[in-house]
Amino acid sequence: MRVPPVWVRRLVIAPGVVLVAVAMLVAAPVWLLVALAITSLVPGIFRLPRVLWLVTVYLVLDSALLLAMFGLWIASGFGWRLRSAGFLSAHYAVASLFLRALFWMIGVVLRLRIIVTGDDAGESRVAFGALFASGAPLVVASRHGGPGDSFTLVHTLLNGVHRRPRIVLKDTLQWDPGIDVLLHRVPAQFITPSGFGAARTGGGSRVEEQIGALARGLGADDALVIFPEGGQVSEARRRSRIERLRRSGRRALADRAGRLRHVMPPQPGGVQAALQAAPDADMVFIGHTGLDRFQSLGDLWHELPMGKRITIRAWRVPRAEIPDERDAQAEWLFAWFERIDAWISTQE
């Protein structure tokens, strides 16, 4: 869906979200009673009131985020010092609080747990945190599995390991006014992904240039977040990606891609651009499970993830172990996604 122009997002959508949040909050006692009254007609235990409450909480938090952004804009001299180091830190602090509150509420309502590990011995926050230890910038390449994985990963980086993320994400997320305003003030890049059919809707060298620009100047406490698959896994996208490999003459790679069960063949251009622009950066690979069955809002409704857990596994690769030559780098990236695919199979 095409993203509306900035003036529509700022003057129509953003105030609209605030008004809807206020209306939902004021009317909460009424719609909660109605939802409870009809819950017997809805599959699942208290699914309707839980979903409505989560929607209300998200709208309220999104509105609070917008108001905080407005306050920072005024405090910065109506935007004069908005790009200064102090106000950048303030924006990251607000983002941290927003995500902390959001995931606390999700944990309360859905009993959702996030398990992190940096070794093969199960849950290990110490091992996980050590992989993100300060001292070198990081390029974080994550699998793309289900809605909300970017929120989960950024929350983990900000509140779990205290890294400041620079995230590459789809332009459609600009429909969310809080995220839209925040990520236009901190280092981030909205992109139009490549098409998976006959026609291309984006991607290519322009996106690689944008990712390279975002990676330039990464500090020792920063982490650029990228999803090399370019989108959620689907059979249509998987077939298209494999066929693209065959047409380009890389038949052996296409055969290997056909054996991947949980991930798609990664597109190397963005990672290569980031590594070239940040020559001192180490790589961290992220695999996660728990969101795989929730590929759409419909899936979330039909299988509301009550009592679920998200497991996040990280691997860190020092810069010295990353190939320099582009073809070797592409092969190396593909091999890492094979490893992530194999790890996910062990979690089933």
Side-chain angles (χ1 to χ4, degrees):
M1 186 182 297
R2 186 176 179 180
V3 178
V6 174
W7 70 268
V8 173
R9 304 200 308 266
R10 298 292 187 273
L11 300 179
V12 179
I13 296 177
V17 165
V18 175
L19 291 174
V20 171
V22 172
M24 290 283 287
L25 196 59
V26 170
V30 176
W31 61 249
L32 274 174
L33 286 173
V34 173
L36 288 170
I38 65 173
T39 192
S40 59
L41 303 176
V42 180
I45 302 174
F46 295 118
R47 179 172 300 165
L48 182 58
R50 287 179 190 274
V51 168
L52 286 173
W53 180 244
L54 285 174
V55 169
T56 300
V57 167
Y58 187 83
L59 288 172
V60 169
L61 288 175
D62 209 41
S63 299
L65 182 58
L66 281 169
L67 293 174
M69 295 297 101
F70 183 64
L72 287 173
W73 179 75
I74 293 174
S76 69
F78 301 97
W80 178 50
R81 299 182 60 243
L82 205 56
R83 302 294 179 180
S84 67
F87 277 95
L88 178 61
S89 296
H91 281 79
Y92 274 120
V94 169
S96 175
L97 287 172
F98 168 78
L99 290 169
R100 194 185 297 272
L102 176 63
F103 278 88
W104 178 81
M105 182 55 67
I106 290 173
V108 170
V109 176
L110 300 182
R111 300 196 300 275
L112 189 68
R113 297 173 60 215
I114 299 176
I115 307 299
V116 296
T117 180
D119 57 28
D120 294 316
E123 182 176 1
S124 175
R125 291 188 178 276
V126 173
F128 185 85
L131 296 178
F132 293 87
S134 183
L138 298 177
V139 174
V140 179
S142 175
R143 72 163 298 206
H144 201 318
D149 57 355
S150 55
F151 280 84
T152 305
L153 180 53
V154 172
H155 168 58
T156 302
L157 289 172
L158 272 173
N159 294 311
V161 298
H162 309 294
R163 282 275 180 168
R164 303 203 304 184
R166 301 184 182 188
I167 186 168
V168 180
L169 67 170
K170 291 182 180 179
D171 58 355
T172 51
L173 286 174
Q174 292 172 103
W175 278 97
D176 183 317
I179 301 301
D180 182 24
V181 175
L182 174 65
L183 293 187
H184 276 96
R185 295 189 186 176
V186 301
Q189 182 61 58
F190 292 97
I191 62 170
T192 302
S194 298
F196 290 91
R200 292 178 62 85
T201 57
S205 59
R206 173 60 178 158
V207 166
E208 293 177 18
E209 291 170 5
Q210 292 171 330
I211 293 172
L214 183 62
R216 205 163 293 124
L218 276 175
D221 294 318
D222 296 330
L224 183 138
V225 179
I226 188 170
F227 298 89
E229 291 163 288
Q232 291 177 196
V233 176
S234 71
E235 285 307 309
R237 288 174 173 174
R238 190 196 305 275
R239 288 194 300 269
S240 176
R241 191 72 59 79
I242 293 171
E243 181 58 31
R244 198 181 297 175
L245 288 170
R246 291 193 189 283
R247 287 199 305 267
S248 66
R250 292 174 284 183
R251 295 187 176 276
L253 212 56
D255 291 340
R256 288 166 61 186
R259 292 191 288 271
L260 296 173
R261 295 179 55 202
H262 308 284
V263 303
M264 292 191 299
Q267 302 179 112
V271 171
Q272 290 171 335
L275 290 173
Q276 184 177 4
D280 299 325
D282 291 347
M283 249 339 253
V284 171
F285 288 96
I286 298 288
H288 58 79
T289 63
L291 293 171
D292 310 71
R293 297 177 63 183
F294 308 105
Q295 299 296 321
S296 68
L297 292 177
D299 294 336
L300 288 171
W301 170 254
H302 290 297
E303 299 189 47
L304 195 65
M306 286 292 301
K308 301 287 186 180
R309 75 176 194 177
I310 299 172
T311 303
I312 301 176
R313 172 71 158 95
W315 298 263
R316 182 164 176 167
V317 183
R319 184 61 188 225
E321 297 179 15
I322 301 175
D324 292 324
E325 197 269 327
R326 287 182 67 86
D327 287 342
Q329 216 170 68
E331 166 64 29
W332 168 81
L333 180 65
F334 192 101
W336 264 105
F337 268 74
E338 288 178 314
R339 182 171 178 173
I340 292 171
D341 189 75
W343 174 80
I344 295 169
S345 294
T346 68
Q347 304 300 302
E348 294 182 328

